[in-house]
Amino acid sequence: MSKSVTVHDIAKLANVSSATVSRVLSNSNYPVSDKLRTRILKIAEEVNYVPNLLGKQLKKNSTMTIGVIIPSIINPFYSSVVFGVEEVARQAGFTVFACNSLQDPELEDEYIQTMMEKQVKGVIISSITTNKEKLKRLIEMNVNVIAIDQKLDEEGISQIEFDHRKGGYLAAKHLQSKGHTRIGYVTTKLNRPSRQGICRGYVDAMEEAGLAPFVEEYRSDEPFNPIFEFETGRELAGRMMDAERPPTAIFACNDLLAFGVIHELTARGLQVPSDVSVMGFDGIDVGQMIHPPLTTIKQPDYEMGKMACRMLVDMTKGEDKPMFNVTLQPKLLERHSVRDLNG
């Protein structure tokens, strides 16, 4: 592999000092004749010189990198969040260092440690761990941190939350408005604020209507795999349909789980929505591509990523660091996976 061209190499070719080359390539105000400046720039172009941005950043004790830690890029919800972050970061001159914790608290801590070592300017995180010691250390190092999706009750962290409880309530109420009284709720392990909030909203809506909640929770701690949520949806739907009085509608804690529910119902010879209605949560784009298109609760994923990055960029520019706490609201996306039983 050929050696990278340095400022010193260009200086030798131009027969000038390295300092002069550095001033020209960095657009310094230091006086250099137009003729010499043109010659140096031409040589740099001819030898395919690439600036060492990391070296410049280290000299200035400043990086232009934003770290993002999410549970899984496989889930289109988080892919869309990162897409929003990258769009704003690129416009602001930042690069994005994205990491997948794979829903593993230890891996999340490793990535936080990596963020410290790389001296990132800020971190956007959807945290899944209950031990926040690494995050506290990050804040103590004056790194700007913004929590998304999962609420973090820690000082020094700005939050962009989503009203998960309201979303769960809205979903259950929608199914009730379509005449459903036996409404099941399937969820992965209830160990995160988001999942707990959705479940609480569902239960509140059921009890308010005098209906019995029917919750199936996947409790296993098996290692993460790419189709974990899809397979979980299949398994939990199977349990529900094997019950003495199976539900006429199943509400899932996210859209990927809902896809698994639909798959299991179809495998059993049941049609959605004529036999069983299905509703999801997240509002990922894939939901409108399946058959039937999935009725769901929309979380503004892309907008959440853009908002988080804008806040982070603004925080890096100011000496004072005001804390933010923004709560985004749910929206019902009514498609064709829910049957109206009202006649």
Side-chain angles (χ1 to χ4, degrees):
M1 184 171 65
S2 60
K3 181 183 175 184
S4 298
V5 177
T6 68
V7 168
H8 305 294
D9 296 327
I10 297 173
K12 288 180 182 178
L13 293 170
N15 196 26
V16 296
S17 70
S18 298
T20 299
V21 173
S22 181
R23 288 163 186 153
V24 170
L25 297 180
S26 63
N27 289 318
S28 168
N29 292 326
Y30 191 88
V32 178
S33 70
D34 290 341
K35 183 178 179 180
L36 180 56
R37 182 182 297 275
T38 300
R39 184 156 64 92
I40 290 172
L41 290 174
K42 184 179 179 182
I43 292 172
E45 183 180 358
E46 289 173 348
V47 297
N48 294 318
Y49 171 71
V50 178
N52 184 350
L53 294 179
L54 180 59
K56 291 181 179 179
Q57 291 169 359
L58 290 174
K59 287 178 182 178
K60 295 178 181 178
N61 195 28
S62 172
T63 64
M64 294 295 284
T65 305
I66 291 173
V68 180
I69 304 177
I70 54 173
S72 169
I73 199 73
I74 294 170
N75 188 328
F77 170 80
Y78 291 110
S79 302
S80 191
V81 169
V82 173
F83 184 44
V85 171
E86 285 186 324
E87 181 172 321
V88 174
R90 184 172 60 252
Q91 293 170 355
F94 285 83
T95 55
V96 176
F97 175 43
C99 302
N100 295 274
S101 68
L102 302 181
Q103 304 188 36
D104 182 345
E106 292 185 6
L107 186 54
E108 180 180 307
D109 282 349
E110 288 180 20
Y111 281 135
I112 293 174
Q113 179 65 38
T114 301
M115 300 291 180
M116 295 181 197
E117 293 169 358
K118 289 188 175 294
Q119 299 180 359
V120 297
K121 203 74 173 178
V123 172
I124 297 169
I125 184 170
S126 175
S127 178
I128 54 92
T129 183
T130 55
N131 184 350
K132 307 301 182 189
E133 291 306 312
K134 286 284 186 181
L135 265 178
K136 290 178 181 176
R137 176 86 185 280
L138 198 63
I139 295 166
E140 289 170 359
M141 294 174 64
N142 292 318
V143 176
N144 300 299
V145 178
I146 295 181
I148 57 169
D149 190 36
Q150 307 294 332
K151 182 175 174 60
L152 296 178
D153 292 318
E154 300 290 339
E155 290 187 10
I157 295 180
S158 291
Q159 312 265 350
I160 300 182
E161 304 175 57
F162 181 78
D163 197 335
H164 293 95
R165 184 262 171 199
K166 186 175 179 180
Y169 182 89
L170 185 63
K173 282 298 181 185
H174 175 69
L175 293 170
Q176 291 170 16
S177 74
K178 298 299 182 181
H180 294 275
T181 56
R182 297 199 310 278
I183 302 169
Y185 176 62
V186 293
T187 178
T188 44
K189 199 169 185 179
L190 291 168
N191 58 352
R192 293 192 205 167
S194 58
R195 297 171 185 167
Q196 294 163 358
I198 299 168
C199 187
R200 185 168 62 251
Y202 157 81
V203 170
D204 288 348
M206 294 295 284
E207 292 179 344
E208 185 181 282
L211 302 173
F214 181 10
V215 178
E216 282 287 355
E217 177 188 359
Y218 189 81
R219 299 174 181 271
S220 174
D221 287 322
E222 68 181 47
F224 178 83
N225 70 74
I227 59 171
F228 165 77
E229 289 168 309
F230 176 82
E231 292 292 349
T232 298
R234 289 188 59 189
E235 179 177 328
L236 297 180
R239 288 189 212 167
M240 285 204 155
M241 299 314 295
D242 288 339
E244 187 175 338
R245 295 186 73 232
T248 62
I250 298 177
F251 169 40
C253 74
N254 65 43
D255 288 349
L256 291 182
L257 221 69
F259 298 161
V261 170
I262 291 173
H263 190 281
E264 178 63 22
L265 294 173
T266 302
R268 289 172 176 246
L270 298 170
Q271 292 190 344
V272 178
S274 56
D275 295 321
V276 183
S277 295
V278 178
M279 190 165 177
F281 198 103
D282 277 345
I284 61 177
D285 291 337
V286 181
Q288 61 187 325
M289 303 176 193
I290 67 167
H291 180 75
L294 183 68
T295 294
T296 186
I297 298 297
K298 174 65 177 175
Q299 287 196 79
D301 41 18
Y302 172 69
E303 294 78 5
M304 180 183 288
K306 290 180 68 175
M307 182 182 295
C309 195
R310 283 197 191 102
M311 289 166 57
L312 199 55
V313 169
D314 288 345
M315 292 167 71
T316 62
K317 292 179 179 177
E319 294 183 4
D320 58 332
K321 299 178 182 179
M323 294 296 106
F324 299 87
N325 195 333
V326 179
T327 302
L328 304 178
Q329 296 301 308
K331 177 183 178 182
L332 172 67
L333 295 182
E334 189 170 2
R335 295 179 180 138
H336 305 293
S337 63
V338 174
R339 179 185 175 191
D340 191 339
L341 301 181
N342 292 316

